[in-house]
Amino acid sequence: MDIDLADLRAHPSSDVFEEVLAEVADDVRELVGVGEVADYIPALARVPADRFGMAVADLHGDLHTVGEADRPFSIQSISKVFSLILATQRFEGDLWDRVGREPSGDPFNSLVQLEHECGVPRNPFINAGAIVIADVLSSCLADPLGELVALVSELAGAEIPIDGEVARSEASTGYRNRSLANLMKAFGNIQGEPDDVLDIYFAQCALTMSARQLATALRFLANDGVDPASGHRVLDVEKARRINALMLTCGTYDAAGEFAFRVGIPCKSGVGGGIVGVIPHHLTACAWSPALDRTGNSVAGRAAIEQLVERTGLSVF
Ligand code: GLN
């Protein structure tokens, strides 16, 4: 179809999104199932690879979907956005003494920089950084996991469950994450007991949400920190901008440069196959397809977000 881009930019809730999404699903059809599902977490290895769903939340509070947008999946590293939001809201110390704001250029579970950089992770979106954020949350909240689930549920407008089987499955095989937590403990950058902090981290990664719920929960990032449906301010504008900046530079691990180059919007991915993308002042999108590339990003999910940007002409640049 011919899309009137000027109209779409002027009226982001236009029905055009329905048609754009149908075309995007068509564009990526041949990529669905290309890649490998994450099998280093045994419970995730059973997820069928040939799934695809996508949702777009616009700034009028409307949702547009295609495919399996209501099928829940393991959000994995996308949970790192929610834990950072909670820490930004509730921690009164300087978070940035404990975790950096630079892309790592290394895989999400890499240990190498931590030794050279004295246990301070490069950013909150690699595993080491998210484990520090889990420690920060345990130091300032009586029930960090309960508060995180409450925040995610409130933002998504639904009770969001933790899949206990996925959490236990990762806990039983999470040797790298244990190494990261113990190394940071040795450098004094973890205050709690590493195993207790990891229990929170594994549980947050096992939050289970649909593309529709993720696009809904993070739509405030496209609207200067305010949920466009309820008018509720989740974060002040500077903090919301900073989360978007971190998503752009660090949200897809060692593929962040490639994402910025090809997709050009803030994105956060997880090894469950989800990718959330934010186009400030326009929309938040979530694509899901479980088969991943070598960097742990969904092949069809990335292509779908890229096609959405291409077809709408919306961009941060
Ligand atoms: N729970 C996963 C891990 O720690 C999260 C990684 C990811 O989604 N990139 O390895």
Side-chain angles (χ1 to χ4, degrees):
M1 73 172 275
D2 284 337
I3 296 165
D4 182 344
L5 293 180
D7 180 58
L8 184 61
R9 288 189 203 105
H11 307 287
S13 75
S14 150
D15 289 345
V16 164
F17 277 127
E18 306 294 337
E19 287 171 63
V20 170
L21 282 178
E23 294 191 349
V24 167
D26 233 39
D27 292 336
V28 305
R29 196 171 309 279
E30 293 197 343
L31 290 175
V32 173
V34 171
E36 304 286 333
V37 298
D39 56 4
Y40 76 98
I41 300 173
L44 294 185
R46 293 198 292 274
V47 178
D50 59 347
R51 300 289 154 105
F52 175 78
M54 189 168 187
V56 165
D58 68 30
L59 294 195
H60 295 262
D62 292 329
L63 260 290
H64 313 273
T65 65
V66 67
E68 297 184 77
D70 289 302
R71 184 177 289 271
F73 59 89
S74 191
I75 73 168
Q76 293 297 318
S77 273
I78 301 173
S79 68
K80 294 167 181 166
V81 181
F82 294 112
S83 60
L84 180 63
I85 292 165
L86 186 60
T88 306
Q89 288 175 330
R90 306 290 292 280
F91 182 60
E92 286 174 1
D94 191 353
L95 210 54
W96 307 112
D97 286 343
R98 307 265 312 265
V99 60
R101 305 176 293 233
E102 293 293 341
S104 69
D106 274 326
F108 57 81
N109 56 7
S110 172
L111 283 137
V112 290
Q113 281 166 347
L114 269 188
E115 174 77 337
H116 291 301
E117 296 173 9
C118 302
V120 178
R122 279 285 175 101
N123 66 68
F125 291 158
I126 50 173
N127 290 11
I131 292 167
V132 166
I133 299 294
D135 184 54
V136 162
L137 291 177
S138 354
S139 72
C140 66
L141 302 174
D143 177 13
L145 193 56
E147 297 228 22
L148 185 65
V149 173
L151 172 73
V152 176
S153 300
E154 188 193 328
L155 291 173
E159 285 289 302
I160 300 300
I162 289 171
D163 185 329
E165 193 197 344
V166 172
R168 283 189 297 279
S169 175
E170 183 167 12
S172 68
T173 54
Y175 301 110
R176 266 187 177 270
N177 287 322
R178 277 184 212 293
S179 309
L180 292 168
N182 282 295
L183 186 56
M184 292 190 289
K185 179 76 182 173
F187 277 112
N189 199 19
I190 293 289
Q191 288 168 7
E193 276 310 310
D195 281 343
D196 297 342
V197 177
L198 286 165
D199 281 347
I200 297 172
Y201 173 75
F202 293 141
Q204 74 174 62
C205 288
L207 282 162
T208 299
M209 298 173 77
S210 65
R212 179 194 297 271
Q213 289 169 333
L214 274 165
T216 302
L218 293 172
R219 62 188 166 185
F220 74 91
L221 289 175
N223 194 38
D224 289 336
V226 174
D227 181 334
S230 64
H232 169 65
R233 178 167 286 288
V234 182
L235 284 182
D236 66 37
V237 61
E238 288 81 11
K239 287 177 176 167
R241 281 185 189 156
R242 285 178 168 162
I243 289 185
N244 284 333
L246 286 166
M247 285 171 64
L248 181 74
T249 53
C250 312
T252 50
Y253 331 112
D254 42 337
E258 181 71 4
F259 259 76
F261 185 79
R262 291 182 52 168
V263 183
I265 62 169
C267 289
K268 182 75 203 84
S269 59
V271 294
I275 304 182
V276 173
V278 179
I279 309 182
H281 308 132
H282 291 288
L283 59 87
T284 294
C286 178
W288 169 65
S289 193
L292 310 176
D293 66 15
R294 270 188 320 106
T295 61
N297 293 297
S298 166
V299 174
R302 177 172 92 176
I305 302 272
E306 191 176 339
Q307 281 307 116
L308 178 73
V309 169
E310 174 94 17
R311 286 190 172 276
T312 59
L314 299 170
S315 171
V316 296
F317 296 114

